[in-house]
Amino acid sequence: MWDGLRLQVFFLCLGAALWSAAAAATYRGSGPRERGHRRHLSLHRHRERGKEGQVLHRSKRGWVWNQFFVIEEYTGPDPVLVGRLHSDVDSGNGNIKYILSGEGAGTIFVIDDKTGNIHATKTLDREEQAQYTLTAQAVDRDTNKPLEPPSEFIVKVQDINDNPPEFLHGPYYARVAEMSNVGTSVIKVTATDADDPTYGNSARLVYSILQGQPYFSVEPQTGIIRTALPNMDREARQEYDVLIQAKDMGGHMGGLSGTTQVKITLTDVNDNPPKFAQGVYAMAVSEDKVPGEEVGRLKARDPDQAENGLVDYRILEGDGMNLFEITKDSETQEAVIKLKKTVDFETKRSYTLKVEASNTHIDSRFAAWGPYKDTTIVKISVEDADEPPTFMAPGYNFEVEENAPAGTLVGRVHAKDTDIMNNPIRYMIPRYTDLEEFFTINTEDGIIKTTRPLDREAQAWHNISVSATEIGGHHQDAKVRVNIKVKDVNDNAPEFAAQNEVLVCENVSPGKLIETVSATDKDEMAHRQHFHFSLAPEVANNHSFSLKDNRDSTASIFVIRKGFSRMTQDVYHLPIEINDNGVPPMSSTNTLIIRVCSCDSKDTILSCNVEPFILSAGLSTGALIAILACIVILLAIVVLFVALRRQKKEPLIVFEEEDIRENIITYDDEGGGEEDTEAFDIATLQNPDGANGFLPRKDIKPELQYPMCPGLRPIGNSVDVDDFIKTRISDADNDPTAPPYDSIQIYGYEGRGSIAGSLSSLESVTTDSDLDYDYLQSWGPRFKKLADLYVDREG
């Protein structure tokens, strides 16, 4: 309430109570101008009552507010008068100015600032906005000073039925079991109406079915669709298209409506038995077929679906019950008749079976409609055939343990002669499929055996072929693939997974983990099998390192002392036993090399070599390399010298082209005589073998080797030539292997002051010499031939 001001509000409509009863008729029966005029009069009547209130001296009051109402979707040519604002201080001279603000002020709602009349300039839609909140104020026209405080009022949009019902979630899909009882609920559909549900019947919906009778019905108020006919059969019709309508205004004339599609599918139940299409089925089987091969198929059809249409088959009776068996193909639901035993054309040529088909699952609700089974007759004729041998299986898979001894049974392949004569079969393994001949096969019965122990680690699978050839007839043959798997035997010991050196600092702390070792095994590891680690017995009580088995096929190596020194010991060898816990168990000892290194305070390795300590007391690295290079060069020179010496050929004592039986060894070295002991050593003239009392011959191969005569003595390095020659003569006389002629060895040695002079005859042959050889006759009978040779030559 405001002091000094009173605002009278007039409504364009007849009032909330009267509007609900007569607004529609008034609106439809009058033109826009007439309706506006009636509202204007109504406003004036309210104003007159206000004036009468002044005459009656009613107490002063401020703004008096009521809700304004505007009909939505008004399309008249003139703006709609919503109401009028008036202040008590307004004397009608135009000094007061009315101001309107708030939602839609100035755009949707405009006010005459002199009279206070409010008009709606645009068509309003209640579904977009149901009400507007505005603020009114009266101010002085000249000074714009407020004469009264502002106050809010509401303009409500009056609803009309301008929105049809809508199914927001359509189209709908529903399922209901076939053979359901009448009234079974299928699905509930729901429509919405954007009109005001609190005003009139604009949003009051009623459901009806336009399409789908007489199979389904819908509840008018809830929209629940139910079955309307009993025993609806899915096999007759599976899907139904139902059209549902929702109409507002309670379903009365003039109401708006909307529709939706509902697709209803009947689900299957087991209400049909299986049925064979024929009463008798004819099949044929060749006598060359082996057990397990298919003879023929037949099917009992069940119109039901899924598990309701599953069918089982069995042979009830017949003369072929022991020779044939029946199974079911789970994909096609067909009965498959197979050979149980081989048939013989010459023994029996036809068989008869009675086969029954029955449902696997029976619905107890329809059990009385049974029985859910059917029977038929199958006649099987045996045919004669002339074909190559046929193996019993398209392929064979065998297993054999590795390391099994030669002759171990691997498996057996079997082929049958398809001819009427039933000729015997000869088996063989083509060599190109078993190049190393690991296997052999018995030619008569097809038994495959090994020829040697097999190693799985070398080859885990052997894929060979076996051929079967009939003996006699056309010698037709057939081949089959044989895959042989070598089963693993624990025959390989585990070993370290990696052979790495472990580096440890000299200042390592006790208890520190320095390495985690793992193992590998060429054999296959069994489930839950793991390696077990332990120190070898000889180091089990060492004081440097310990081992902890982690029980996960790894082991941890720890240091148990401190104070390692590279000068004392730079490398430690830690033998570790690894057991694979297999059957039989295998173990091995692997050595872990631990090298002591020099580290800084942060345990960063600086050096792991002992070379700096060695070089400090001796030579440098460069000097050692130079020494080694010199040694290698010297060795190369020695080897080269020896190789060259071996290439020289030594001459024989006797030359074939020489008539004179002489073996002359010439030394072109002249020294200073017997007194010269520095220029040449007489020992170089000696044969080492002759000095020992034995003189081998180069032109013959003696059969016996005689020891040195006891009377002979070794000759020293400095001997008299006369004694040396006597010794050689004595050796020649006592040698039974010597030829029957004299072998004279002449040495070209000339000594200083020698009484005998030079013994060389080379110069005497080629030059004129004044030498006198008469003295040779005084040397005795042993030099007679020599003396005669030279004396005769002089004469």
Side-chain angles (χ1 to χ4, degrees):
M1 300 294 294
W2 300 317
D3 294 332
L5 292 176
R6 186 179 66 179
L7 178 66
Q8 293 182 348
V9 181
F10 298 94
F11 298 97
L12 180 63
C13 59
L14 298 179
L18 297 177
W19 177 260
S20 60
T26 303
Y27 185 78
R28 294 188 182 95
S30 301
R33 293 182 180 273
E34 183 179 356
R35 290 194 297 270
H37 176 68
R38 291 178 181 177
R39 296 188 189 99
H40 181 69
L41 294 177
S42 175
L43 289 171
H44 276 281
R45 285 195 293 269
H46 281 281
R47 186 177 64 180
E48 292 299 325
R49 287 195 294 269
K51 291 182 178 180
E52 292 174 358
Q54 293 179 354
V55 173
L56 295 175
H57 302 285
R58 291 189 304 177
S59 60
K60 186 183 291 184
R61 58 193 178 97
W63 297 96
V64 178
W65 298 110
N66 288 306
Q67 292 182 342
F68 291 168
F69 290 88
V70 180
I71 298 176
E72 68 169 336
E73 305 294 345
Y74 174 72
T75 58
D78 299 326
V80 177
L81 178 62
V82 178
R84 181 180 181 183
L85 303 178
H86 186 74
S87 175
D88 292 340
V89 298
D90 187 1
S91 59
N93 55 7
N95 293 328
I96 296 178
K97 180 180 180 180
Y98 296 97
I99 299 173
L100 185 67
S101 62
E103 294 178 327
T107 57
I108 300 175
F109 302 101
V110 296
I111 187 170
D112 188 335
D113 60 354
K114 294 181 179 180
T115 63
N117 291 333
I118 301 173
H119 291 82
T121 62
K122 295 183 179 180
T123 300
L124 302 181
D125 188 356
R126 189 199 67 83
E127 286 70 40
E128 292 183 1
Q129 187 166 348
Q131 64 182 24
Y132 296 85
T133 302
L134 300 173
T135 302
Q137 191 174 19
V139 299
D140 186 272
R141 183 176 296 276
D142 296 329
T143 63
N144 284 331
K145 291 183 178 180
L147 300 178
E148 295 186 25
S151 181
E152 290 185 351
F153 65 95
I154 296 174
V155 177
K156 298 193 69 173
V157 181
Q158 189 70 46
D159 182 51
I160 64 173
N161 188 23
D162 59 344
N163 290 280
E166 293 182 353
F167 291 91
L168 300 180
H169 303 289
Y172 294 87
Y173 298 90
R175 299 166 66 89
V176 63
E178 64 173 334
M179 300 298 174
S180 296
N181 296 327
V182 175
T184 301
S185 175
V186 179
I187 191 174
K188 180 180 181 180
V189 296
T190 302
T192 58
D193 196 318
D195 292 325
D196 189 358
T198 63
Y199 178 74
N201 294 325
S202 298
R204 181 167 168 251
L205 305 180
V206 174
Y207 298 93
S208 61
I209 183 168
L210 301 181
Q211 176 183 327
Q213 301 97 337
Y215 307 103
F216 300 95
S217 63
V218 62
E219 292 183 356
Q221 305 301 326
T222 62
I224 297 176
I225 301 175
R226 300 182 182 274
T227 58
L229 282 181
N231 301 328
M232 286 192 293
D233 191 1
R234 183 198 65 84
E235 289 73 31
R237 183 178 178 183
Q238 185 174 1
E239 293 184 347
Y240 296 84
D241 293 322
V242 178
L243 184 63
I244 301 296
Q245 173 185 271
K247 189 174 184 179
D248 59 12
M249 299 298 292
H252 296 143
M253 184 72 67
L256 303 178
S257 64
T259 60
T260 186
Q261 288 281 346
V262 182
K263 184 178 285 296
I264 301 175
T265 302
L266 297 183
T267 59
D268 186 60
V269 298
N270 189 13
D271 58 341
N272 294 280
K275 188 71 175 177
F276 285 108
Q278 301 174 213
V280 178
Y281 289 85
M283 299 180 182
V285 60
S286 178
E287 64 172 346
D288 60 350
K289 298 295 183 180
V290 296
E293 291 196 33
E294 181 178 321
V295 176
R297 295 187 174 216
L298 64 157
K299 183 176 183 180
R301 299 189 178 276
D302 190 327
D304 295 324
Q305 292 180 332
E307 65 177 13
N308 297 320
L310 296 180
V311 179
D312 288 335
Y313 301 91
R314 63 171 181 159
I315 300 176
L316 295 179
E317 59 185 24
D319 55 0
M321 291 186 64
N322 296 329
L323 298 176
F324 300 93
E325 60 184 357
I326 191 168
T327 60
K328 184 179 73 171
D329 189 331
S330 58
E331 294 183 0
T332 62
Q333 294 296 307
E334 292 178 315
V336 182
I337 298 178
K338 296 182 179 181
L339 269 179
K340 190 176 182 181
K341 296 180 181 180
T342 57
V343 293
D344 187 6
F345 175 79
E346 288 74 23
T347 304
K348 188 175 178 62
R349 300 189 179 185
S350 64
Y351 298 90
T352 302
L353 301 174
K354 185 177 183 180
V355 178
E356 178 190 77
S358 60
N359 277 135
T360 304
H361 304 282
I362 298 177
D363 194 332
S364 58
R365 296 175 298 174
F366 308 101
W369 296 13
Y372 290 89
K373 62 181 65 177
D374 192 18
T375 60
T376 189
I377 300 299
V378 178
K379 293 185 176 181
I380 303 174
S381 60
V382 181
E383 297 178 344
D384 190 15
D386 183 11
E387 298 177 353
T390 302
F391 283 94
M392 301 294 293
Y396 294 88
N397 295 308
F398 299 129
E399 293 183 350
V400 61
E401 290 190 353
E402 68 172 326
N403 302 327
T408 300
L409 176 65
V410 176
R412 180 184 179 183
V413 297
H414 179 65
K416 179 179 176 56
D417 181 17
T418 58
D419 296 334
I420 299 177
M421 300 300 295
N422 195 20
N423 294 321
I425 303 296
R426 181 177 67 248
Y427 300 92
M428 65 173 293
I429 299 176
R431 284 301 98 191
Y432 67 87
T433 66
D434 185 21
L435 296 176
E436 300 186 33
E437 300 184 5
F438 287 109
F439 305 96
T440 181
I441 188 170
N442 189 304
T443 59
E444 296 180 358
D445 56 15
I447 294 177
I448 302 174
K449 295 183 179 180
T450 60
T451 61
R452 71 189 80 167
L454 304 178
D455 186 5
R456 188 200 68 85
E457 287 70 37
Q459 188 173 351
W461 282 88
H462 296 267
N463 301 316
I464 65 174
S465 295
V466 174
S467 66
T469 306
E470 61 181 46
I471 302 175
H474 297 89
H475 299 284
Q476 299 188 73
D477 64 348
K479 292 183 176 62
V480 70
R481 193 71 175 174
V482 179
N483 303 316
I484 302 173
K485 179 183 179 181
V486 182
K487 298 172 63 178
D488 185 44
V489 174
N490 194 29
D491 58 346
N492 290 279
E495 57 187 12
F496 279 152
Q499 298 290 342
N500 298 327
E501 285 190 354
V502 180
L503 306 181
V504 63
C505 295
E506 289 180 309
N507 57 350
V508 64
S509 303
K512 182 177 180 180
L513 173 66
I514 61 173
E515 183 70 6
T516 299
V517 296
S518 60
T520 183
D521 196 327
K522 295 180 181 179
D523 296 318
E524 293 179 348
M525 295 293 291
H527 182 61
R528 296 184 178 179
Q529 179 182 352
H530 64 274
F531 298 111
H532 175 73
F533 298 83
S534 63
L535 292 177
E538 60 268 22
V539 296
N541 297 321
N542 78 93
H543 301 291
S544 299
F545 306 98
S546 65
L547 180 145
K548 178 185 177 183
D549 191 340
N550 298 325
R551 299 185 180 276
D552 60 354
S553 295
T554 64
S556 300
I557 309 299
F558 296 91
V559 176
I560 59 177
R561 73 174 180 89
K562 63 180 181 177
F564 289 91
S565 174
R566 288 190 297 160
M567 294 298 296
T568 304
Q569 185 175 353
D570 63 329
V571 177
Y572 291 83
H573 295 85
L574 188 66
I576 298 176
E577 289 188 357
I578 309 176
N579 192 303
D580 61 7
N581 295 316
V583 180
M586 298 292 292
S587 63
S588 66
T589 301
N590 297 259
T591 301
L592 182 67
I593 300 176
I594 304 174
R595 186 176 296 277
V596 181
C597 302
S598 175
C599 305
D600 58 13
S601 59
K602 297 181 180 180
D603 291 339
T604 301
I605 295 177
L606 302 177
S607 175
C608 294
N609 299 323
V610 297
E611 176 184 343
F613 300 97
I614 298 175
L615 296 179
S616 62
L619 300 176
S620 64
T621 304
L624 289 175
I625 294 175
I627 293 173
L628 292 175
C630 292
I631 293 174
V632 171
I633 293 173
L634 291 175
L635 290 175
I637 293 173
V638 171
V639 171
L640 181 61
F641 178 76
V642 172
L644 292 175
R645 288 295 302 270
R646 288 183 177 179
Q647 291 180 357
K648 293 183 178 180
K649 297 182 179 179
E650 298 183 4
L652 296 173
I653 295 176
V654 180
F655 297 91
E656 295 179 359
E657 66 273 12
E658 293 181 352
D659 294 332
I660 300 174
R661 303 293 190 252
E662 290 183 349
N663 186 10
I664 301 175
I665 301 175
T666 304
Y667 296 88
D668 296 328
D669 190 329
E670 292 195 9
E674 294 178 350
E675 296 180 359
D676 186 2
T677 60
E678 296 179 358
F680 190 83
D681 191 356
I682 192 64
T684 59
L685 303 178
Q686 301 174 7
N687 189 333
D689 294 331
N692 295 327
F694 175 73
L695 185 62
R697 301 297 298 271
K698 297 181 180 180
D699 55 343
I700 63 172
K701 182 177 180 181
E703 296 180 359
L704 299 174
Q705 297 291 339
Y706 289 86
M708 184 176 61
C709 298
L712 299 178
R713 65 182 184 278
I715 301 175
N717 293 334
S718 298
V719 297
D720 189 272
V721 176
D722 183 58
D723 293 336
F724 176 78
I725 294 175
K726 289 180 180 180
T727 301
R728 293 296 180 265
I729 294 173
S730 175
D731 294 340
D733 292 341
N734 295 320
D735 187 4
T737 63
Y741 49 82
D742 292 337
S743 178
I744 300 175
Q745 298 184 14
I746 300 174
Y747 299 89
Y749 172 82
E750 291 188 7
R752 182 180 301 172
S754 176
I755 299 176
S758 176
L759 297 178
S760 175
S761 62
L762 297 177
E763 292 184 359
S764 62
V765 176
T766 59
T767 62
D768 294 336
S769 178
D770 296 331
L771 295 177
D772 185 7
Y773 297 102
D774 293 337
Y775 64 88
L776 294 176
Q777 297 179 358
S778 62
W779 283 8
R782 299 183 182 277
F783 294 90
K784 185 177 182 302
K785 185 175 183 62
L786 183 61
D788 293 342
L789 178 63
Y790 283 91
V791 170
D792 292 341
R793 190 173 180 179
E794 284 184 353

